[in-house]
């Protein structure tokens, strides 16, 4: 299986358990790896035979900016489900970064990584 990766998709969302996260919002960063067979697209040089990563990027940002959820696990699951709606995408790895998570000690990042497939 081939891989198309999108790294560092940035959006502002209102996800989190705490009221201040819901009210003020914060930055989220999403990385995706889409698993698909790119041979038909490569053989014909036809965008319609692969995944349009520009559209995927817009959809992911819309999810992050959309309906708030408590957990980044839920956010990652919604993103994965949307990616798998694209014809040809058989598998997706989603990493959601929450770099401004409300943690009281110094840290660089909080992430959740999930892998989902059509099977």
């Amino acid at each position: 299986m081939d891989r198309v990766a999108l790294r560092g998709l940035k959006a502002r969302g209102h996800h989190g358990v705490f009221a201040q996260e819901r009210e003020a919002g914060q930055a989220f960063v999403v990385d995706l790896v889409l698993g698909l067979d790119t041979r038909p697209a490569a053989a014909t040089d036809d965008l319609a035979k692969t995944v349009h990563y520009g559209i995927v990027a817009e959809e992911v940002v819309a999810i992050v900016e959309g309906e708030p959820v408590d957990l980044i696990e839920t956010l990652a699951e919604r993103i994965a489900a949307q990616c798998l709606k694209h014809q040809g995408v058989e598998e997706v790895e989603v990493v959601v970064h929450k770099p401004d998570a409300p943690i009281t000690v110094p840290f660089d990042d909080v992430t959740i990584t999930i892998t989902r497939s059509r099977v």
Side-chain angles (χ1 to χ4, degrees):
M1 192 169 314
D2 304 318
R3 304 276 182 237
V4 173
L6 290 90
R7 306 259 188 234
L9 296 171
K10 295 173 180 67
R12 187 164 186 83
H14 294 264
H15 311 288
V17 175
F18 301 111
Q20 68 268 21
E21 294 180 288
R22 292 292 184 107
E23 293 167 11
Q26 61 191 293
F28 291 86
V29 180
V30 177
D31 302 324
L32 300 174
V33 179
L34 307 170
L36 66 154
D37 183 359
T38 63
R39 288 176 292 192
T44 61
D45 201 29
D46 185 355
L47 176 61
K49 295 185 178 179
T50 188
V51 64
H52 191 311
Y53 51 79
I55 291 173
V56 172
E58 291 171 358
E59 292 170 348
V60 169
V61 166
I63 291 168
V64 174
E65 292 177 344
E67 180 185 352
V69 296
D70 287 345
L71 303 176
I72 59 174
E73 291 86 344
T74 306
L75 185 60
E77 194 69 39
R78 287 182 178 181
I79 292 168
Q82 181 61 41
C83 291
L84 289 171
K85 289 180 182 178
H86 287 269
Q87 184 175 350
V89 175
E90 296 296 324
E91 182 179 274
V92 62
E93 178 184 275
V94 177
V95 181
V96 175
H97 301 257
K98 189 174 180 180
D100 299 322
I103 297 175
T104 60
V105 298
F107 74 102
D108 289 329
D109 199 5
V110 172
T111 66
I112 177 73
T113 303
I114 66 170
T115 303
R116 299 291 182 265
S117 64
R118 291 184 184 273
V119 178

